[in-house]
Structures are given as structure tokens and as C-alpha cells.
Amino acid sequence: MDVKIEESWKRVLQDEFEKEYFKNLVDFVKREYRQYTCFPKGSEIFNAMNYTPFDEVKVVIMGQDPYPNPGHAHGLCFSVQEHVKPFPPSLINIFKEIETDMGTPFPENGSLIRWAEQGVLLLNAVLTVRKGQPRSHQGKGWEIFTNEIIKKISQEKENVVFLLWGGDAKRKKSLIDSSKHLILESGHPSPLSANRGYWFGNKHFSKTNNFLQSKGLKEIVW
């Protein structure tokens, strides 16, 4: 497996790499990738961090685990590779809310690399998955690792916006210092949640930009 992680994150997370749970996690992931088709490919597992260095993080969006469909996942939560059509339902609902909230029309592709490059950390709680089996890599150590990422951002940075969508993401709230950061919560953008009225109208995108602007930080072009 060709795995790489950006230098600033390597420095911030150095202690985690030495812990027993992470070594066991690495063994598990290597075994899974040898025996099964898994996503994303090894070089893209840490793409959330590779596209958004620690020092550049302004917004954090939490997802659950990668898309289990071939050609979709590339290491950024909710994002799909440029060629993927139609967009997954959750991503469609995200774009609908942006269109209503910001007046921004639907993009031509579903890749969110453009967000990541502006300081939006698109982090799944679990960074790998077996083909066709959602949540198949839960409970193997990824959650411990990504919790530490949230803690590090909370402790070492200021004025970061955390967007917590759905129950899994909201459970991360206790890891975040709300006196230093903005926490915005809503239902998940999946059709099940969105169609019950828990997603649309949250205005998280304009609220994020208003907060960043109030702190003298550059807004995100959603």
C-alpha cells in the first residue's frame, strides 16, 4: 500500500502513530486491502489531510465512512471523483442547501477538492471501507485516530468552524472547545434525514462565512 500523509499532520499526530491501537489498525487495514477490494485506494486514505494542511484548517466537516462504490471515494468526506454522475443523494442535498443559502448554482462535478484547498477539512470518522459494505471498518481504531485529530484542532487552533451533521458527527461535540470555536449542528444531508426537515434551511454555509469574516479570515467559496 502506498500511503502518505502531509508533513504538518505527520508532526501533529506523531504520538498517535506510535500507539498500540494505531499499529493494530495498520495491520487490519493492510490485511483488508490484501484480501478484499477496499476504498479509497491506499495513496488517498489520508487525502483530507493531504489537501488541507493543519495550519490551514478553517472549517471541519465530519462524515461517517467512505463511499463503498467503485470509483467514488477519494479520501474526502461527501466528495466524489470528478467523473462520477449522478452525484450521491447526500451530496445533492448539500448542493441544494448551498444553492438556497448562498445562491450558488450546482457545480459541474462532485469533487470537493476545491473546498479542501481553501481550508475545509473533509474528514470521515472512519477512513477506509470494504467494497459494497458500508461501515465495514468501524470499530477497528479509526474512530480513536480521528477523535484525536478533532482534539488537536480544538486545542492548538482558534476560530475554526465545526459542521456536525447527523448523530455520529454530533457525538464529536464533546471533543471541541466551544469557547474558542464555532460549532454548528444539524441533521445529516442524507435523504432520510433531509426529507424529515432536519437538513434544509440550516444555512451552515452562510453562517460559516459570516463567522470567518467576523474573525478577519477569508470566506469559503462554496
Side-chain angles (χ1 to χ4, degrees), residues 29 53 58 100 156 195:
V29 170
K58 296 193 292 188
T100 303
E156 298 185 24
N195 293 339

Side-chain angles (χ1 to χ4, degrees), residues 25-94:
L25 171 61
V26 169
D27 289 342
F28 166 77
V29 170
K30 285 181 176 178
R31 191 165 60 249
E32 283 284 298
Y33 273 68
R34 277 198 306 270
Q35 295 178 358
Y36 305 97
T37 300
C38 296
F39 305 123
K41 61 185 181 183
S43 61
E44 296 177 337
I45 290 173
F46 294 115
N47 260 1
M49 287 161 278
N50 293 335
Y51 279 109
T52 313
F54 182 78
D55 295 339
E56 296 177 18
V57 174
K58 296 193 292 188
V59 181
V60 178
I61 297 178
M62 287 298 306
Q64 294 171 355
D65 63 348
Y67 294 115
N69 314 321
H72 282 211
H74 63 136
L76 306 176
C77 73
F78 295 107
S79 179
V80 291
Q81 297 185 52
E82 288 190 1
H83 66 272
V84 174
K85 295 283 177 64
F87 302 154
S90 291
L91 188 57
I92 289 174
N93 286 339
I94 289 170

Side-chain angles (χ1 to χ4, degrees), residues 94-107:
I94 289 170
F95 290 150
K96 282 181 178 178
E97 177 60 23
I98 291 172
E99 188 170 43
T100 303
D101 185 19
M102 305 292 296
T104 304
F106 265 57

